[in-house]
Amino acid sequence: DVKVTQSSRYLVKRTGEKVFLECVQDMDHENMFWYRQDPGLGLRLIYFSYDVKMKEKGDIPEGYSVSREKKERFSLILESASTNQTSMYLCASISSTYEQFFGPGTRLTVL
Amino acid sequence: ILNVEQSPQSLHVQEGDSTNFTCSFPSSNFYALHWYRWETAKSPEALFVMTLNGDEKKKGRISATLNTKEGYSYLYIKGSQPEDSATYLCAFLKGNEKLTFGTGTRLTIIP
C-alpha cells in the first residue's frame, strides 16, 4: 500500500517560531511537492523538488524554505512563523504516470 | 499562474440523483488533466488522469470526459450516494510536472 506520511496532523506554534513540517514517501518517487490549502483558494504550490538536494519555487514560496537531503523525505520550513501561515499543509509525491499521492495533511495554527 | 476554474463552487444533490460539474483549463500546451476526490479528514485521492482529447474514463458510478481543444472536462456522478459527499478537485498539468489545481466543487448528497 503506497504511502505518504506527514509528521503531525495538528500543530500550534507562536509567531516567530521556526517550524518544520516533515513528509516521507515510500514509493521511491523522485518528485515531491508541498501545498497549502485555504478556503476559497484551492491547493497552492509552495515548493517542489524533482531530485535530492534540488528544489524549485512554486507559486507562493515567500516565507518558506525546503530541504531534500534524502529521496524519501521532503521538509517544509517556516523560518519565522506568521499568523498568515495558518493553513492546511499537504505534501505529495508523483508517480511516473503523473498521478499524485497526498499525505494526510498538517493543520498548522500560528498564534 | 495558470487559470483552472471549477464550477459550481458547491452543490447539493438529492440521494439517487445524477449530477455533473465542470473544470476549465488553458487549452494550449496541454499535457494531462487530473481529477481528485477529497473527503473531509482524509487525503485527496486520485480519480482519473486524462491525457487524450476525447478521453472518457469511468470508475463505478463516476465518469469523466475531456475536451483539450476547448479546454474543459466534465465529471459525472450517476445515482449519487451519501459517500459521494466530498470536494472534487481538478488539476491541469502543462508538462513541467507542476499541477495547477482548481478551487474545487464541494458536493453534498442529501439523504
Side-chain angles (χ1 to χ4, degrees):
Chain A
D1 193 22
V2 296
K3 225 171 209 170
V4 180
T5 56
Q6 294 182 227
S7 49
S8 307
R9 291 300 300 270
Y10 299 94
L11 210 51
V12 179
K13 295 290 181 182
R14 296 204 176 277
T15 301
E17 278 193 81
K18 191 168 186 175
V19 182
F20 292 88
L21 302 182
E22 305 284 347
C23 174
V24 177
Q25 51 96 3
D26 64 0
M27 297 165 279
D28 202 37
H29 290 164
E30 291 180 352
N31 298 319
M32 296 184 73
F33 303 80
W34 274 106
Y35 297 91
R36 63 179 281 177
Q37 194 263 342
D38 301 288
L41 295 176
L43 282 171
R44 293 182 293 165
L45 182 64
I46 305 170
Y47 265 97
F48 66 105
S49 167
Y50 50 87
D51 202 352
V52 175
K53 295 193 187 297
M54 306 299 280
K55 61 185 180 186
E56 291 281 343
K57 291 180 181 179
D59 300 319
I60 50 163
E62 296 77 20
Y64 303 94
S65 62
V66 289
S67 171
R68 184 110 181 259
E69 295 297 318
K70 293 184 179 181
K71 192 175 186 180
E72 66 270 19
R73 189 180 295 270
F74 190 33
S75 304
L76 181 70
I77 303 157
L78 287 66
E79 295 288 343
S80 177
S82 62
T83 54
N84 63 11
Q85 292 177 309
T86 291
S87 187
M88 168 71 86
Y89 289 88
L90 281 165
C91 173
S93 67
I94 199 164
S95 71
S96 57
T97 54
Y98 297 105
E99 183 179 347
Q100 281 212 335
F101 296 88
F102 286 89
T106 296
R107 186 165 290 284
L108 173 67
T109 302
V110 182
L111 301 175
Chain B
I1 295 179
L2 299 172
N3 210 20
V4 179
E5 295 182 356
Q6 291 187 247
S7 63
Q9 281 191 338
S10 66
L11 196 53
H12 289 76
V13 174
Q14 202 69 40
E15 182 177 351
D17 287 353
S18 297
T19 187
N20 66 83
F21 27 93
T22 308
C23 173
S24 61
F25 52 86
S27 54
S28 60
N29 297 319
F30 176 86
Y31 194 88
L33 192 283
H34 294 212
W35 280 101
Y36 292 85
R37 175 169 59 204
W38 193 1
E39 296 177 69
T40 303
K42 294 186 179 179
S43 312
E45 172 199 357
L47 286 173
F48 305 115
V49 178
M50 308 178 80
T51 55
L52 298 174
N53 185 41
D55 232 358
E56 287 189 31
K57 300 247 180 182
K58 190 171 178 194
K59 188 185 278 191
R61 294 178 292 100
I62 304 177
S63 60
T65 60
L66 178 67
N67 183 322
T68 60
K69 293 189 189 313
E70 294 181 38
Y72 65 83
S73 175
Y74 292 133
L75 190 81
Y76 300 89
I77 302 178
K78 190 176 174 182
S80 304
Q81 298 297 309
E83 60 264 28
D84 296 328
S85 294
T87 296
Y88 291 83
L89 294 169
C90 73
F92 172 73
L93 183 65
K94 198 179 165 184
N96 59 357
E97 302 178 6
K98 246 178 24 168
L99 282 171
T100 299
F101 283 83
T103 54
T105 292
R106 188 177 183 87
L107 176 65
T108 304
I109 306 302
I110 305 163

